[in-house]
Amino acid sequence: MPTGLAFLDGSLYVVAITLFGSWFARFQKTTRDYFLNDRSVPWWAICFTIVATETSTLSFIGVPAQAFAGNMTFLQLAMGYIIGRLLVSVLFIPAYFRGELFTSYELLQRRFGPAVKNIAAVIFVVTRTLADGVRLFATALVISVVTQVPVPLAIVLIGAAMIVYTTRGGVSAVIWTDVVQMFIYVAGALVVLLSLLQQIDGGWSAVISAGEAANKFRVLDFTLDPQRVYTFWAGLFGGVALTLATHGTDQFLVQRLQRHLGQP
């Protein structure tokens, strides 16, 4: 795609997603509306926004690189993720819906007092800011390569757009823009996949043959070698621990669950 056309498409997308997110400001009448949206978001939108939240530019850049350098043993983490999500649904979610909680850290205040709640909230804000800063920078790098827009300018434009629609539209804007963007990046990934296959001599069968010859499709590794990065046991226990932290205590994901579920 020519640089000028890519810049135009990107600009139109940023403007469109900002207007779409800002449109939800008309529904924000109270603080409860802003943070909880009357818990009326459908379950499928919650599923999509969680997937979109978990996936970032780093996923699209890093996972293919890991798979190319090694194989698919990193997928063993998903096994731990599944168990971790089951534990979250049994142990954490019921506690979050006993009463009117705007954040997951209010539960800590009820159990341990305001000091623990404040410390946990500060840790979340600091670590989330650092993590999102890396993601924003990585996104700006990709945009800069495609459109030739300077990285600092790309960071300012993307950051400003997100601040505008999240501030105006509240959590509804965050959820529904996530839903839209998830479909866009999945569609984009499929377009890239089909385009690459057309440029490979032999197509999909050639990809399969080359992958099998290089042992790229290996998923399970039951070795107990602690020097191995991805093993079944590391994926199982590490995936459970990571999911309990992200989906059970991280407000970034917990707030999405609170948008749909009502009182138990």
Side-chain angles (χ1 to χ4, degrees):
M1 179 182 292
T3 301
L5 184 58
F7 176 77
L8 178 60
D9 289 344
S11 300
L12 291 175
Y13 174 76
V14 171
V15 172
I17 205 70
T18 303
L19 293 176
F20 175 67
S22 299
W23 179 75
F24 288 95
R26 64 194 306 179
F27 304 110
Q28 313 304 325
K29 306 300 182 183
T30 65
T31 302
R32 188 180 190 281
D33 294 335
Y34 188 86
F35 286 101
L36 297 180
N37 190 34
D38 200 28
R39 289 175 174 164
S40 59
V41 179
W43 65 267
W44 55 267
I46 298 297
C47 291
F48 291 155
T49 189
I50 289 176
V51 173
T53 301
E54 293 177 304
T55 311
S56 68
T57 305
L58 298 179
S59 302
F60 278 88
I61 296 175
V63 172
Q66 285 186 333
F68 180 79
N71 47 37
M72 294 187 178
T73 51
F74 64 87
L75 292 176
Q76 295 170 112
L77 278 170
M79 302 174 188
Y81 290 165
I82 294 173
I83 298 175
R85 282 161 170 76
L86 292 175
L87 292 175
V88 168
S89 66
V90 173
L91 301 176
F92 290 84
I93 290 181
Y96 287 140
F97 297 101
R98 296 192 188 107
E100 188 83 347
L101 297 178
F102 288 156
T103 71
S104 59
Y105 305 110
E106 290 179 70
L107 181 61
L108 293 178
Q109 180 174 357
R110 293 181 180 181
R111 294 287 299 273
F112 305 107
V116 174
K117 173 217 170 186
N118 292 336
I119 292 174
V122 169
I123 292 174
F124 164 75
V125 171
V126 172
T127 55
R128 177 53 56 182
T129 300
L130 294 174
D132 285 346
V134 173
R135 294 184 178 94
L136 179 58
F137 179 67
T139 303
L141 286 177
V142 175
I143 292 176
S144 179
V145 170
V146 176
T147 65
Q148 301 302 308
V149 172
V151 172
L153 178 58
I155 291 175
V156 170
L157 293 177
I158 299 171
M162 291 188 294
I163 291 172
V164 169
Y165 74 71
T166 54
T167 302
R168 287 178 52 79
V171 74
S172 295
V174 174
I175 290 174
W176 289 108
T177 52
D178 278 353
V179 172
V180 171
Q181 292 181 97
M182 194 208 74
F183 281 105
I184 289 175
Y185 73 62
V186 169
L190 292 175
V191 170
V192 171
L193 173 63
L194 295 176
S195 299
L196 290 175
L197 285 177
Q198 291 179 354
Q199 300 181 41
I200 297 176
D201 293 336
W204 184 249
S205 59
V207 172
I208 296 297
S209 299
E212 289 178 345
N215 194 31
K216 293 294 183 179
F217 299 128
R218 183 182 182 184
V219 175
L220 297 176
D221 183 353
F222 292 99
T223 183
L224 297 176
D225 184 358
Q227 294 184 348
R228 293 281 186 92
V229 177
Y230 296 108
T231 66
F232 175 81
W233 313 108
L236 184 64
F237 295 108
V240 169
L242 181 60
T243 300
L244 291 178
T246 56
H247 292 66
T249 63
D250 193 322
Q251 176 63 19
F252 202 57
L253 284 166
V254 172
Q255 66 177 349
R256 284 149 170 80
L257 298 175
Q258 290 177 300
R259 301 300 83 81
H260 170 68
L261 300 176
Q263 301 298 332

Coordinates of all heavy atoms in Angstrom, one line a residue, residues 159-229:
G159 N -2.5 8.5 21.4 CA -2.9 8.7 22.8 C -4.0 9.7 23.0 O -4.9 9.5 23.8
A160 N -4.0 10.8 22.2 CA -5.0 11.8 22.3 C -6.4 11.2 21.9 O -7.4 11.5 22.6 CB -4.7 13.0 21.4
A161 N -6.4 10.4 20.9 CA -7.7 9.8 20.5 C -8.2 8.9 21.6 O -9.5 8.9 21.9 CB -7.5 8.9 19.2
M162 N -7.4 8.1 22.2 CA -7.9 7.2 23.3 C -8.3 8.0 24.5 O -9.4 7.6 25.1 CB -6.8 6.2 23.6 CG -6.4 5.2 22.6 SD -5.3 3.9 23.2 CE -3.8 4.8 23.4
I163 N -7.6 9.0 24.8 CA -8.0 9.8 26.0 C -9.4 10.5 25.7 O -10.3 10.5 26.6 CB -7.0 10.9 26.3 CG1 -5.7 10.2 26.8 CG2 -7.5 11.9 27.3 CD1 -4.5 11.2 26.9
V164 N -9.6 11.0 24.5 CA -10.9 11.6 24.2 C -12.1 10.7 24.3 O -13.0 11.0 25.0 CB -10.8 12.2 22.8 CG1 -12.2 12.7 22.4 CG2 -9.8 13.4 22.7
Y165 N -12.0 9.5 23.6 CA -13.2 8.7 23.7 C -13.4 7.9 25.0 O -14.5 7.6 25.3 CB -13.3 7.8 22.4 CG -12.4 6.6 22.4 CD1 -12.5 5.5 23.2 CD2 -11.3 6.6 21.5 CE1 -11.7 4.4 23.1 CE2 -10.5 5.4 21.4 CZ -10.7 4.4 22.2 OH -9.9 3.3 22.1
T166 N -12.3 7.6 25.7 CA -12.5 6.9 27.0 C -13.0 7.9 28.0 O -13.8 7.6 28.9 CB -11.2 6.3 27.4 OG1 -10.2 7.3 27.5 CG2 -10.8 5.2 26.5
T167 N -12.5 9.2 28.0 CA -13.0 10.2 28.9 C -14.5 10.5 28.7 O -15.2 10.7 29.6 CB -12.1 11.4 28.9 OG1 -10.8 11.1 29.1 CG2 -12.6 12.5 29.9
R168 N -14.8 10.6 27.4 CA -16.2 11.0 27.1 C -17.2 9.9 27.2 O -18.3 10.0 27.8 CB -16.2 11.6 25.7 CG -15.6 13.0 25.6 CD -15.7 13.5 24.2 NE -17.0 13.4 23.6 CZ -18.0 14.3 23.8 NH1 -17.8 15.3 24.7 NH2 -19.2 14.1 23.3
G169 N -16.8 8.7 26.7 CA -17.7 7.6 26.6 C -17.7 6.7 27.7 O -18.6 5.8 27.8
G170 N -16.8 6.7 28.6 CA -16.7 5.8 29.8 C -16.4 4.4 29.4 O -15.9 4.1 28.3
V171 N -16.8 3.5 30.2 CA -16.5 2.1 30.0 C -17.2 1.5 28.8 O -16.7 0.6 28.1 CB -16.8 1.3 31.3 CG1 -18.3 1.1 31.5 CG2 -16.1 -0.1 31.2
S172 N -18.4 2.1 28.5 CA -19.1 1.6 27.3 C -18.3 1.8 26.0 O -18.2 1.0 25.1 CB -20.4 2.3 27.2 OG -21.3 2.0 28.2
A173 N -17.7 3.0 25.9 CA -16.8 3.3 24.8 C -15.6 2.4 24.7 O -15.3 1.9 23.6 CB -16.3 4.8 24.9
V174 N -15.0 2.1 25.8 CA -13.9 1.2 25.9 C -14.3 -0.2 25.3 O -13.6 -0.8 24.5 CB -13.3 1.1 27.3 CG1 -12.2 0.0 27.3 CG2 -12.8 2.4 27.7
I175 N -15.4 -0.7 25.8 CA -15.8 -2.1 25.5 C -16.2 -2.1 24.0 O -15.7 -3.0 23.3 CB -17.0 -2.5 26.3 CG1 -16.6 -2.7 27.8 CG2 -17.7 -3.7 25.7 CD1 -17.8 -3.0 28.7
W176 N -17.0 -1.2 23.5 CA -17.5 -1.3 22.1 C -16.4 -1.0 21.1 O -16.4 -1.6 20.0 CB -18.7 -0.5 21.9 CG -19.9 -1.1 22.6 CD1 -20.5 -0.7 23.8 CD2 -20.6 -2.3 22.3 NE1 -21.6 -1.5 24.1 CE2 -21.6 -2.5 23.2 CE3 -20.4 -3.3 21.2 CZ2 -22.5 -3.6 23.2 CZ3 -21.3 -4.3 21.2 CH2 -22.3 -4.5 22.2
T177 N -15.5 -0.1 21.4 CA -14.4 0.1 20.5 C -13.5 -1.1 20.5 O -12.9 -1.4 19.4 CB -13.6 1.4 20.9 OG1 -13.2 1.3 22.3 CG2 -14.4 2.7 20.7
D178 N -13.3 -1.8 21.6 CA -12.5 -3.0 21.6 C -13.2 -4.0 20.7 O -12.5 -4.8 20.0 CB -12.5 -3.6 23.1 CG -11.4 -2.9 23.9 OD1 -10.6 -2.1 23.3 OD2 -11.3 -3.2 25.1
V179 N -14.5 -4.2 20.8 CA -15.2 -5.1 19.9 C -14.9 -4.8 18.5 O -14.6 -5.7 17.7 CB -16.7 -5.1 20.2 CG1 -17.5 -5.9 19.2 CG2 -17.0 -5.6 21.6
V180 N -15.1 -3.6 18.1 CA -14.8 -3.2 16.7 C -13.4 -3.5 16.3 O -13.1 -4.1 15.2 CB -15.1 -1.7 16.5 CG1 -14.7 -1.2 15.1 CG2 -16.6 -1.4 16.7
Q181 N -12.5 -3.1 17.1 CA -11.1 -3.3 16.8 C -10.7 -4.8 16.7 O -9.8 -5.1 16.0 CB -10.2 -2.5 17.8 CG -10.4 -1.0 17.6 CD -9.5 -0.2 18.6 OE1 -8.4 0.3 18.2 NE2 -10.0 0.0 19.8
M182 N -11.3 -5.6 17.6 CA -11.0 -7.0 17.5 C -11.3 -7.6 16.1 O -10.6 -8.3 15.5 CB -11.7 -7.8 18.6 CG -11.2 -9.2 18.8 SD -12.4 -10.4 19.4 CE -13.4 -10.7 18.0
F183 N -12.5 -7.2 15.6 CA -12.9 -7.7 14.3 C -12.0 -7.2 13.2 O -11.7 -7.9 12.3 CB -14.4 -7.3 14.0 CG -15.4 -8.2 14.7 CD1 -16.1 -7.8 15.8 CD2 -15.6 -9.5 14.2 CE1 -17.0 -8.6 16.4 CE2 -16.5 -10.3 14.8 CZ -17.3 -9.9 15.9
I184 N -11.5 -6.0 13.4 CA -10.6 -5.4 12.4 C -9.3 -6.1 12.4 O -8.8 -6.4 11.3 CB -10.5 -3.9 12.7 CG1 -11.7 -3.1 12.4 CG2 -9.3 -3.3 11.8 CD1 -11.7 -1.6 12.7
Y185 N -8.7 -6.3 13.5 CA -7.4 -6.9 13.5 C -7.5 -8.4 13.2 O -6.5 -9.0 12.6 CB -6.6 -6.7 14.8 CG -6.9 -7.4 16.0 CD1 -6.9 -8.7 16.2 CD2 -7.3 -6.6 17.2 CE1 -7.2 -9.4 17.4 CE2 -7.6 -7.3 18.4 CZ -7.5 -8.6 18.5 OH -7.8 -9.3 19.6
V186 N -8.6 -9.1 13.5 CA -8.7 -10.5 13.1 C -8.9 -10.6 11.5 O -8.2 -11.4 10.9 CB -9.9 -11.2 13.8 CG1 -10.2 -12.5 13.1 CG2 -9.6 -11.4 15.2
A187 N -9.7 -9.7 11.0 CA -9.8 -9.6 9.5 C -8.5 -9.2 8.9 O -8.2 -9.8 7.8 CB -10.9 -8.6 9.2
G188 N -7.8 -8.3 9.5 CA -6.5 -8.0 8.9 C -5.5 -9.1 8.9 O -4.7 -9.3 8.0
A189 N -5.5 -9.9 10.0 CA -4.6 -11.1 10.1 C -5.0 -12.1 9.0 O -4.1 -12.7 8.4 CB -4.7 -11.7 11.5
L190 N -6.3 -12.3 8.8 CA -6.7 -13.2 7.7 C -6.3 -12.7 6.3 O -5.8 -13.5 5.5 CB -8.2 -13.4 7.8 CG -8.8 -14.1 9.0 CD1 -10.3 -14.2 9.0 CD2 -8.2 -15.6 9.1
V191 N -6.4 -11.4 6.1 CA -6.0 -10.9 4.8 C -4.5 -11.1 4.6 O -4.0 -11.5 3.5 CB -6.3 -9.4 4.8 CG1 -5.6 -8.7 3.5 CG2 -7.8 -9.2 4.7
V192 N -3.7 -10.8 5.7 CA -2.2 -11.0 5.6 C -1.9 -12.5 5.3 O -1.0 -12.8 4.5 CB -1.5 -10.6 6.9 CG1 -0.1 -11.0 6.9 CG2 -1.7 -9.1 7.0
L193 N -2.6 -13.4 6.0 CA -2.4 -14.8 5.8 C -2.6 -15.3 4.4 O -1.8 -15.9 3.8 CB -3.3 -15.6 6.8 CG -3.3 -17.2 6.6 CD1 -1.9 -17.7 6.9 CD2 -4.3 -17.8 7.5
L194 N -3.8 -14.8 3.9 CA -4.1 -15.2 2.5 C -3.1 -14.6 1.5 O -2.8 -15.2 0.5 CB -5.5 -14.8 2.2 CG -6.6 -15.5 3.0 CD1 -8.0 -14.9 2.7 CD2 -6.6 -17.0 2.7
S195 N -2.7 -13.4 1.8 CA -1.8 -12.7 0.9 C -0.4 -13.4 0.9 O 0.2 -13.6 -0.2 CB -1.6 -11.2 1.3 OG -2.8 -10.5 1.2
L196 N 0.0 -13.8 2.0 CA 1.3 -14.5 2.1 C 1.2 -15.9 1.4 O 2.2 -16.3 0.8 CB 1.7 -14.7 3.6 CG 2.1 -13.4 4.3 CD1 2.4 -13.7 5.8 CD2 3.4 -12.8 3.7
L197 N 0.1 -16.6 1.6 CA 0.0 -17.9 1.0 C 0.0 -17.8 -0.5 O 0.6 -18.7 -1.2 CB -1.3 -18.6 1.4 CG -1.4 -19.1 2.8 CD1 -2.8 -19.7 3.1 CD2 -0.3 -20.2 3.0
Q198 N -0.5 -16.7 -1.1 CA -0.5 -16.5 -2.5 C 1.0 -16.3 -3.1 O 1.2 -16.6 -4.2 CB -1.4 -15.4 -2.9 CG -2.8 -15.6 -2.7 CD -3.7 -14.4 -3.1 OE1 -3.2 -13.4 -3.4 NE2 -5.0 -14.6 -3.1
Q199 N 1.8 -15.8 -2.2 CA 3.2 -15.6 -2.6 C 4.2 -16.7 -2.4 O 5.4 -16.6 -2.7 CB 3.7 -14.3 -1.9 CG 2.9 -13.1 -2.2 CD 3.4 -11.8 -1.5 OE1 4.7 -11.6 -1.4 NE2 2.6 -11.0 -0.9
I200 N 3.7 -17.8 -1.8 CA 4.5 -19.0 -1.4 C 4.3 -20.0 -2.5 O 3.2 -20.4 -2.7 CB 4.2 -19.5 0.0 CG1 4.5 -18.5 1.0 CG2 4.9 -20.8 0.2 CD1 4.1 -18.9 2.4
D201 N 5.3 -20.5 -3.1 CA 5.2 -21.5 -4.1 C 4.8 -22.8 -3.5 O 5.4 -23.3 -2.5 CB 6.6 -21.8 -4.8 CG 7.1 -20.6 -5.6 OD1 6.2 -19.8 -6.1 OD2 8.3 -20.4 -5.8
G202 N 3.7 -23.3 -4.0 CA 3.1 -24.6 -3.4 C 2.0 -24.3 -2.4 O 1.3 -25.3 -2.0
G203 N 1.8 -23.1 -2.0 CA 0.7 -22.7 -1.1 C 0.8 -23.4 0.3 O 1.9 -23.6 0.8
W204 N -0.4 -23.7 0.8 CA -0.5 -24.2 2.2 C 0.2 -25.6 2.3 O 0.8 -25.8 3.4 CB -2.0 -24.4 2.5 CG -2.2 -24.8 3.9 CD1 -2.7 -26.0 4.4 CD2 -1.9 -24.1 5.1 NE1 -2.7 -26.1 5.7 CE2 -2.3 -24.9 6.2 CE3 -1.5 -22.8 5.4 CZ2 -2.2 -24.5 7.5 CZ3 -1.3 -22.4 6.7 CH2 -1.7 -23.2 7.7
S205 N 0.2 -26.4 1.3 CA 0.9 -27.7 1.4 C 2.4 -27.5 1.6 O 3.0 -28.3 2.3 CB 0.5 -28.6 0.2 OG 0.9 -27.9 -1.0
A206 N 2.9 -26.5 0.9 CA 4.3 -26.3 1.1 C 4.7 -25.8 2.4 O 5.7 -26.1 3.0 CB 4.8 -25.3 0.0
V207 N 3.8 -24.9 3.0 CA 4.0 -24.4 4.4 C 4.0 -25.6 5.4 O 4.8 -25.7 6.3 CB 2.9 -23.4 4.7 CG1 3.0 -23.0 6.2 CG2 3.0 -22.2 3.9
I208 N 3.0 -26.5 5.2 CA 2.9 -27.7 6.1 C 4.2 -28.5 6.0 O 4.8 -29.0 7.0 CB 1.7 -28.5 5.8 CG1 0.4 -27.7 6.1 CG2 1.7 -29.8 6.6 CD1 0.2 -27.3 7.5
S209 N 4.6 -28.8 4.8 CA 5.8 -29.6 4.6 C 7.0 -29.0 5.2 O 7.8 -29.7 5.9 CB 6.0 -29.9 3.1 OG 4.9 -30.5 2.5
A210 N 7.2 -27.7 5.0 CA 8.4 -27.0 5.5 C 8.3 -27.0 7.1 O 9.3 -27.2 7.8 CB 8.5 -25.6 5.0
G211 N 7.1 -26.8 7.6 CA 7.0 -26.7 9.0 C 7.2 -28.0 9.7 O 7.9 -28.1 10.8
E212 N 6.8 -29.1 9.1 CA 7.0 -30.4 9.7 C 8.5 -30.8 9.6 O 9.0 -31.4 10.6 CB 6.1 -31.4 9.0 CG 4.6 -31.3 9.3 CD 3.8 -32.3 8.5 OE1 4.4 -32.9 7.5 OE2 2.6 -32.5 8.8
A213 N 9.1 -30.4 8.6 CA 10.5 -30.7 8.4 C 11.4 -30.0 9.5 O 12.4 -30.5 9.9 CB 11.0 -30.4 7.0
A214 N 11.0 -28.8 9.8 CA 11.7 -28.0 10.8 C 11.2 -28.2 12.2 O 11.6 -27.4 13.1 CB 11.6 -26.5 10.4
N215 N 10.2 -29.1 12.4 CA 9.6 -29.4 13.7 C 9.0 -28.1 14.3 O 9.1 -27.8 15.5 CB 10.7 -29.9 14.7 CG 10.1 -30.5 16.0 OD1 9.0 -31.0 15.9 ND2 10.8 -30.4 17.1
K216 N 8.3 -27.4 13.5 CA 7.7 -26.1 13.9 C 6.3 -26.3 14.6 O 5.8 -25.4 15.2 CB 7.5 -25.1 12.7 CG 8.8 -24.6 12.2 CD 9.6 -23.8 13.2 CE 10.8 -23.2 12.6 NZ 11.5 -22.3 13.5
F217 N 5.7 -27.5 14.4 CA 4.3 -27.7 14.8 C 4.3 -28.5 16.2 O 3.2 -28.9 16.6 CB 3.5 -28.5 13.8 CG 3.4 -27.7 12.5 CD1 3.8 -28.4 11.3 CD2 3.0 -26.4 12.4 CE1 3.7 -27.7 10.1 CE2 2.9 -25.7 11.3 CZ 3.3 -26.4 10.1
R218 N 5.4 -28.6 16.8 CA 5.4 -29.3 18.1 C 4.7 -28.4 19.2 O 5.0 -27.2 19.3 CB 6.8 -29.6 18.6 CG 6.9 -30.3 19.9 CD 8.3 -30.6 20.4 NE 8.3 -31.3 21.6 CZ 9.5 -31.6 22.3 NH1 10.6 -31.2 21.8 NH2 9.4 -32.3 23.4
V219 N 3.8 -28.9 19.9 CA 3.0 -28.2 20.9 C 3.3 -28.6 22.3 O 3.6 -27.8 23.2 CB 1.5 -28.3 20.7 CG1 0.7 -27.6 21.8 CG2 1.1 -27.7 19.3
L220 N 3.4 -29.9 22.6 CA 3.6 -30.4 23.9 C 5.1 -30.8 24.2 O 5.7 -31.4 23.3 CB 2.7 -31.7 24.1 CG 1.2 -31.4 24.1 CD1 0.5 -32.7 24.2 CD2 0.7 -30.4 25.1
D221 N 5.5 -30.4 25.4 CA 6.9 -30.8 25.8 C 6.8 -31.1 27.3 O 6.7 -30.2 28.1 CB 7.8 -29.6 25.5 CG 9.3 -29.9 25.9 OD1 9.5 -31.0 26.5 OD2 10.2 -29.1 25.6
F222 N 6.9 -32.4 27.6 CA 6.7 -32.8 29.0 C 8.0 -32.9 29.8 O 8.1 -33.4 30.9 CB 6.0 -34.1 29.1 CG 4.6 -34.1 28.6 CD1 4.2 -34.5 27.3 CD2 3.6 -33.7 29.5 CE1 2.9 -34.4 26.9 CE2 2.3 -33.6 29.0 CZ 1.9 -34.0 27.8
T223 N 9.1 -32.4 29.2 CA 10.4 -32.4 29.9 C 10.4 -31.6 31.2 O 9.6 -30.7 31.4 CB 11.5 -31.9 29.0 OG1 12.7 -32.0 29.7 CG2 11.3 -30.4 28.7
L224 N 11.2 -32.0 32.1 CA 11.3 -31.4 33.4 C 12.5 -30.5 33.5 O 12.9 -30.0 34.5 CB 11.4 -32.4 34.6 CG 10.1 -33.3 34.8 CD1 10.4 -34.3 35.9 CD2 8.9 -32.4 35.1
D225 N 13.2 -30.2 32.3 CA 14.4 -29.4 32.2 C 14.0 -27.9 32.6 O 13.3 -27.3 31.8 CB 15.0 -29.5 30.8 CG 16.3 -28.7 30.7 OD1 16.7 -28.1 31.7 OD2 16.9 -28.8 29.6
P226 N 14.5 -27.4 33.7 CA 14.2 -26.0 34.1 C 14.7 -25.0 33.1 O 14.3 -23.8 33.2 CB 14.8 -25.9 35.5 CG 15.9 -26.9 35.5 CD 15.5 -28.0 34.6
Q227 N 15.7 -25.4 32.2 CA 16.2 -24.4 31.3 C 15.3 -24.2 30.1 O 15.6 -23.3 29.3 CB 17.6 -24.8 30.9 CG 18.6 -24.8 32.0 CD 20.0 -25.2 31.6 OE1 20.2 -25.7 30.5 NE2 21.0 -25.0 32.4
R228 N 14.4 -25.1 29.9 CA 13.4 -24.9 28.8 C 12.5 -23.8 29.1 O 11.9 -23.8 30.2 CB 12.7 -26.2 28.5 CG 13.5 -27.4 28.0 CD 13.8 -27.2 26.5 NE 14.4 -28.4 26.0 CZ 13.8 -29.4 25.4 NH1 12.5 -29.4 25.4 NH2 14.5 -30.4 25.0
V229 N 12.2 -22.9 28.2 CA 11.3 -21.8 28.4 C 9.9 -22.3 28.5 O 9.1 -21.9 29.4 CB 11.5 -20.7 27.4 CG1 10.5 -19.6 27.6 CG2 12.9 -20.2 27.4

